[in-house]
Amino acid sequence: PDAAEAATPSPTMQEVAEPSAPLVETANLQPITPENAEQIRQLAQIEPYYPPHTALSADGRVAALGNPWGVRLMERASADEIMAIPADMPECQFSGERYMSLSADGSFIALVTRAAVQVWQAGGGLLYETPYSRRFSTDPGTCGMDIPRLSISPDGRLLAVSGMEYTRDSLSQFFRVVDILANEVIYEWDGSRDSMHGSLDAAPGLGFSRDGRYLQTFDPLRFALAGS
């Protein structure tokens, strides 16, 4: 082509050079004032990306990394993978729930899936599983509230779980301690509000002592800030 033809941009070049239309016409945006504040309306809702959930054994040897598709157990020092657990994790993207609990040396891990509470042996297999039901899994206002709270003892023998159970016509709370290897419930709350641990719903306060002889619970109805 001659110089005149070479200087003439092709349609493709013109399309690339033309700026795309803005997503929002900034000329139509108005500053928020007391007079127009009541006219504010939600145009869209963007949920954050699912943050990974992590757990670390008390001795620092084993780390667990969970996402919606499963859990990876790794040697913390070398980052070598111990095992991958194909667990269907809950979809509460912006809560601070603890979905996993490791024994003191990382030999056992308890975790909450979308429909069950499980205990796995690191490098082994599934040792314990019990189902549970949820009703708020797709409600952003209550996401995570009905996910069971759990804690595994330092030696990996006992599992403490608190949560809510649904039937067709009722809702009940539960709190139980399970001997994992024996697959036996060694303690179960009778539901009385006058009991020592009281209301346990929506309170991530379960935890075993270092020697596994004591179990901490948290009752939000009995909590008060100093000076209140």
Side-chain angles (χ1 to χ4, degrees):
D2 57 26
E5 292 177 344
T8 302
S10 66
T12 301
M13 292 173 63
Q14 290 178 354
E15 292 172 2
V16 173
E18 291 178 356
S20 58
L23 297 178
V24 178
E25 292 291 343
T26 55
N28 296 330
L29 295 180
Q30 301 178 16
I32 299 175
T33 64
E35 289 73 24
N36 65 15
E38 294 183 356
Q39 301 175 13
I40 297 175
R41 298 292 183 269
Q42 178 177 320
L43 300 179
Q45 178 175 314
I46 302 175
E47 296 184 354
Y49 181 75
Y50 188 102
H53 292 274
T54 59
L56 186 67
S57 60
D59 63 2
R61 186 180 67 87
V62 177
L65 180 66
N67 58 40
W69 307 279
V71 177
R72 292 175 59 209
L73 286 180
M74 298 171 290
E75 292 280 355
R76 187 192 58 80
S78 63
D80 291 339
E81 184 174 289
I82 299 173
M83 70 180 302
I85 301 174
D88 198 12
M89 303 294 280
E91 288 184 314
C92 195
Q93 297 187 15
F94 41 85
S95 74
E97 305 300 331
R98 283 186 59 189
Y99 298 147
M100 303 177 290
S101 177
L102 285 163
S103 61
D105 62 357
S107 297
F108 302 92
I109 181 171
L111 55 91
V112 176
T113 71
R114 293 189 192 181
V117 175
Q118 301 177 340
V119 178
W120 294 73
Q121 184 174 14
L126 182 64
L127 299 178
Y128 175 82
E129 182 176 39
T130 183
Y132 75 93
S133 60
R134 297 181 61 195
R135 288 191 179 180
F136 302 132
S137 58
T138 59
D139 180 357
T142 53
C143 184
M145 188 181 73
D146 57 349
I147 296 176
R149 275 68 180 169
L150 53 80
S151 180
I152 193 168
S153 63
D155 61 2
R157 188 176 68 88
L158 301 178
L159 174 70
V161 185
S162 69
M164 293 181 269
E165 292 178 319
Y166 296 94
T167 62
R168 179 175 298 180
D169 302 316
S170 64
L171 163 67
S172 61
Q173 295 175 257
F174 70 87
F175 173 67
R176 59 180 66 104
V177 180
V178 180
D179 185 320
I180 297 169
L181 296 181
N183 194 22
E184 178 184 0
V185 176
I186 60 175
Y187 173 78
E188 187 161 13
W189 177 39
D190 62 4
S192 171
R193 292 286 179 175
D194 297 328
S195 65
M196 180 174 60
H197 34 70
S199 175
L200 293 173
D201 59 305
L206 286 180
F208 280 92
S209 61
R210 183 174 298 179
D211 60 6
R213 297 178 59 190
Y214 299 94
L215 178 64
Q216 167 191 287
T217 65
F218 175 71
D219 182 356
L221 300 180
R222 302 181 184 182
F223 177 75
L225 292 173
S228 61

